[in-house]
């Protein structure tokens, strides 16, 4: 096996034994595995040759990019891991058509930097941006904090290049915004978690860079009041709210514990803390007036003042500098670190209609203790798009109890018209939910697609499909 792989990529790029340590566990160290080897191709042709070899030898292949996925999709016992990390070239950034053409191993933060150099942004962002790579981001259809305004990964990709499970290279690197020529295979591979092909490159959509941001921490009396704030801000700014993130009191307290020296957002403690950010591109909204105030900050403050008068906002702090804005983001982006500060965790990544979020959390206040009386929820939410990270620190070590927590959560979510998987994907951790909850006809159709494209079950077997 080593000889064959070495012949394709060269002996420096086939790793075994202790050299594979970096790839032997997931980011949250929930799963530990021993890949047979890690192979690091440099070109799409090499990826194709490896996939053809895997079919000839019946060797399972697990594609891996930044290894920050939170659903156990990179588990690789008895498989060869195919790392895209050497395919890290940004081929082109074109400002006239607002696109970036990048290879799958480019780190998300590097796409951000390349876009910003030309006064544009790639708006997809989340805590793992310094490690997650485009191949993994596309394969998990990642979301993050700006979905509210720009959509998730699916909305930000025009074309892809991928190696299919039989080793053929499918080049659909379209730069088009409209293309109705048959089935949309790009969207079939985005979010497929490496089960239907290995993404090797992508054409990404860029957006104009906001010329000014208004960022604030806001305390609201309730989640419905917070939703009212979101809707009023959208009206006042023409839909320019980029992030609307909910942190309950326990998040604030946990953050101050893991970050000594971090400060309370307000003088008093509140239960509903929102980090809101509005971004504007038009000079009329971004250029300071004679009093030095940036208009977008004024729009935000006007809405806040009005709601403060009505009692639907309790307190607010508007960032006065980039450093204050950064502090606000760091508090939010520490969510994964906070959740991981105590193990084990039961990780629920759920989506709900926006006006059902409060109902769900109220129901779970009663339901969770019925399943595990000592369980503690550690919640944070991309409230603007209805995505709650309903993580639970279980009181019990018993895996059956953990599964019962997950089952109770998904049951309540589904009753309210939600989904048990919002943005992290299925991997292996959500397989029981997939088995229990996914529409059986949809599941059957997915299995038929997998069987048609990957009859030898070579690509990321045992993931996504129960
Ligand atoms: C601190 C932290 C914060 C996070 N916040 C968010 C968040 O807000 N929103 C969000 O959506 N996610 C979030 N995540 C999850 C994670 O970062 C994303 O899922 C990310 O998109 C994964 O990218 P990756 O390169 O690390 O993929 P990996 O972990 O390497 O892979 C993820 C899956 O994709 C498959 N895969 C990888 N590369 C390819 C490829 N080239 N072709 C085909 N399949 C491939 C893998 O087999 C695996 O199943 C967070 C993670 C961390 C650690």
């Amino acid at each position: 096996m080593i000889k064959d792989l070495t012949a394709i990529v060269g002996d420096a790029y086939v790793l075994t034994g202790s050299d594979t340590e970096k790839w032997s566990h997931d980011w949250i160290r929930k799963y530990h595995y021993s890949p047979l080897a890690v192979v690091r191709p440099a070109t799409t042709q090499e990826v194709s040759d490896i996939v053809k070899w895997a079919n000839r030898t019946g060797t399972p292949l697990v594609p891996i990019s930044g290894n920050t996925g939170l659903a156990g999709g990179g588990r690789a016992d008895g498989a060869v891991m195919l790392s895209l990390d050497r395919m890290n070239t940004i081929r082109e950034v074109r400002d006239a058509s607002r696109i970036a053409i990048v290879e799958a191993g480019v780190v998300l933060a590097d796409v951000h930097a390349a876009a910003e150099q030309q006064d544009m942004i790639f708006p997809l962002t989340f805590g793992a941006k310094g490690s997650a790579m485009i191949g993994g981001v596309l394969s998990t259809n990642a979301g993050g904090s700006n979905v509210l305004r720009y959509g998730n990964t699916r909305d930000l990709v025009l074309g892809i290049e991928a190696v299919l499970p039989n080793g053929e290279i499918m080049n659909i690197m379209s730069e088009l915004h409209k293309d109705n020529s048959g089935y949309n295979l790009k969207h079939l591979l985005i979010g497929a978690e490496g089960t239907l092909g290995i993404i090797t490159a992508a054409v990404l959509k860029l957006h104009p860079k906001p010329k000014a941001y208004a960022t604030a921490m806001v305390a609201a009396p309730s989640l419905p009041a917070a939703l009212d704030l979101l809707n009023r801000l959208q009206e006042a700014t023409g839909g320019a709210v980029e992030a609307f993130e909910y942190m309950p009191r326990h998040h604030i307290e946990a953050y101050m514990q893991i970050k000594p020296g971090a400060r309370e957002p307000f003088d008093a403690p509140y239960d509903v803390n929102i980090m809101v950010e509005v971004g504007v591109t038009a000079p009329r909204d971004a250029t300071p007036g004679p009093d030095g105030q940036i208009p977008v900050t004024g729009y935000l403050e006007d809405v806040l003042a009005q709601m403060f008068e009505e009692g639907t906002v309790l307190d607010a702090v508007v960032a006065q500098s980039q450093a204050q804005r950064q502090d606000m983001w760091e508090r939010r982006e520490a969510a994964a670190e906070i959740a991981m500060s105590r193990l084990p965790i039961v990780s629920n990544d759920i989506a709900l209609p926006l006006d059902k979020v409060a109902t769900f959390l109220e129901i779970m206040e009663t339901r969770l203790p019925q399943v595990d009386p000592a369980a503690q929820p550690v919640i944070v939410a991309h409230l603007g798009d209805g995505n709650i990270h309903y993580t639970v620190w279980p009181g019990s070590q018993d895996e059956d109890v953990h599964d019962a927590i997950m089952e109770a959560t998904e049951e309540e979510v589904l009753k309210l018209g939600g989904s048990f998987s919002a943005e992290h994907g299925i991997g292996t951790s959500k397989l029981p939910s997939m088995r229990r909850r996914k529409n059986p006809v949809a599941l059957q159709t997915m299995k038929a697609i997998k069987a048609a494209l990957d009859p030898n079950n070579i690509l990321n077997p045992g993931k996504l499909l129960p």
Side-chain angles (χ1 to χ4, degrees):
M1 181 182 87
I2 305 288
K3 236 203 254 164
D4 289 348
L5 291 174
T6 300
I8 299 171
V9 296
D11 55 358
Y13 301 112
V14 183
L15 311 179
T16 54
S18 57
D19 290 345
T20 63
E21 207 286 324
K22 184 175 151 194
W23 291 276
S24 65
H25 55 81
D26 66 333
W27 189 84
I28 55 174
R29 290 179 185 262
K30 181 170 177 183
Y31 304 109
H32 294 264
Y33 28 82
S34 334
L36 297 173
V38 177
V39 58
R40 300 172 59 215
T43 64
T44 303
Q45 188 56 54
E46 287 180 2
V47 175
S48 161
D49 292 345
I50 295 166
V51 176
K52 285 181 183 159
W53 164 86
N55 272 285
R56 277 199 307 277
T57 56
T59 312
L61 278 182
V62 176
I64 200 80
S65 290
N67 200 13
T68 67
L70 296 176
R75 290 168 76 177
D77 271 323
V80 166
M81 241 182 187
L82 187 153
S83 170
L84 279 301
D85 65 324
R86 289 177 67 217
M87 296 184 58
N88 57 4
T89 304
I90 297 179
R91 293 185 190 157
E92 247 183 299
V93 176
R94 297 220 307 267
D95 61 349
S97 54
R98 294 216 167 104
I99 56 168
I101 303 178
V102 303
E103 292 185 351
V106 175
V107 171
L108 179 56
D110 293 341
V111 180
H112 292 164
E116 287 209 17
Q117 267 178 14
Q118 297 199 32
D119 216 23
M120 294 178 286
I121 56 164
F122 182 59
L124 194 83
T125 189
F126 48 82
K129 57 183 177 287
S131 305
M133 296 170 188
I134 288 305
V137 167
L138 264 65
S139 298
T140 53
N141 184 28
S145 306
N146 287 345
V147 170
L148 173 63
R149 182 160 188 190
Y150 300 99
N152 54 22
T153 300
R154 264 186 215 293
D155 302 301
L156 296 167
V157 178
L158 292 174
I160 60 165
E161 176 192 78
V163 174
L164 297 181
N166 61 4
E168 280 181 21
I169 298 168
M170 180 171 74
N171 183 336
I172 44 172
M173 291 285 278
S174 166
E175 300 176 8
L176 305 174
H177 291 263
K178 289 183 172 177
D179 181 2
N180 274 350
S181 54
Y183 297 150
N184 196 322
L185 299 176
K186 165 185 80 181
H187 283 311
L188 189 60
L189 264 77
I190 294 175
E193 300 182 45
T195 59
L196 298 179
I198 300 181
I199 296 173
T200 47
V203 182
L204 307 175
K205 269 190 223 173
L206 304 178
H207 284 260
K209 185 175 169 205
K211 293 190 174 55
Y213 289 104
T215 311
M217 284 296 301
V218 182
S222 65
L223 283 170
L227 195 52
D228 187 26
L229 169 65
L230 171 63
N231 290 334
R232 291 204 209 179
L233 275 174
Q234 291 288 46
E235 276 170 34
T237 63
V241 180
E242 305 223 329
F244 199 81
E245 303 286 312
Y246 164 54
M247 290 161 273
R249 179 67 198 155
H250 61 244
H251 176 97
I252 308 288
E253 284 170 4
Y255 180 64
M256 288 188 303
Q257 269 175 19
I258 64 159
K259 284 273 164 337
R263 289 187 321 181
E264 287 270 2
F266 309 105
D267 292 338
Y270 294 103
D271 288 335
V272 179
N273 304 276
I274 304 289
M275 191 203 82
V276 56
E277 181 158 280
V278 184
V280 286
T281 52
R284 65 173 179 274
D285 298 325
T287 312
D291 58 354
Q293 193 185 46
I294 298 172
V296 62
T297 310
Y299 310 152
L300 174 63
E301 286 179 352
D302 286 351
V303 173
L304 290 172
Q306 199 183 354
M307 292 185 69
F308 188 74
E309 294 258 303
E310 295 165 8
T312 46
V313 157
L314 302 176
D315 205 344
V317 176
V318 178
Q320 300 299 323
S321 63
Q322 177 59 19
Q324 283 181 8
R325 174 179 176 235
Q326 197 63 33
D327 279 354
M328 291 178 184
W329 272 102
E330 276 173 20
R331 183 186 293 115
R332 167 60 186 86
E333 290 193 334
E337 210 182 320
I338 289 171
M340 294 296 305
S341 64
R342 201 177 117 180
L343 293 173
I345 59 171
V346 180
S347 169
N348 287 293
D349 161 43
I350 57 182
L352 283 155
L354 298 196
D355 56 352
K356 298 285 168 36
V357 170
T359 317
F360 166 78
L361 292 175
E362 264 165 41
I363 291 171
M364 288 309 289
E365 274 176 28
T366 319
R367 183 83 200 260
L368 182 61
Q370 288 167 355
V371 183
D372 179 356
Q376 275 181 48
V378 230
I379 301 161
V380 71
H382 303 299
L383 188 62
D385 60 44
N387 175 194
I388 313 174
H389 297 310
Y390 188 78
T391 306
V392 175
W393 285 331
S396 155
Q397 297 290 323
D398 183 345
E399 297 229 336
D400 287 345
V401 175
H402 301 176
D403 196 45
I405 294 173
M406 205 167 246
E407 203 171 348
T409 309
E410 66 197 28
E411 188 176 289
E412 299 304 340
V413 166
L414 264 73
K415 273 193 226 159
L416 293 169
S419 167
F420 58 84
S421 175
E423 60 175 9
H424 295 161
I426 304 299
T428 51
S429 66
K430 297 289 183 314
L431 286 175
S433 313
M434 205 58 178
R435 188 179 296 116
R436 285 189 290 255
R437 309 289 176 186
K438 191 73 192 174
N439 174 287
V441 178
L443 208 47
Q444 226 176 340
T445 309
M446 288 186 202
K447 287 183 176 177
I449 292 171
K450 171 72 173 167
L453 291 186
D454 189 8
N456 299 328
N457 203 18
I458 290 296
L459 282 192
N460 221 359
K463 316 290 168 55
L464 194 146
L465 292 169

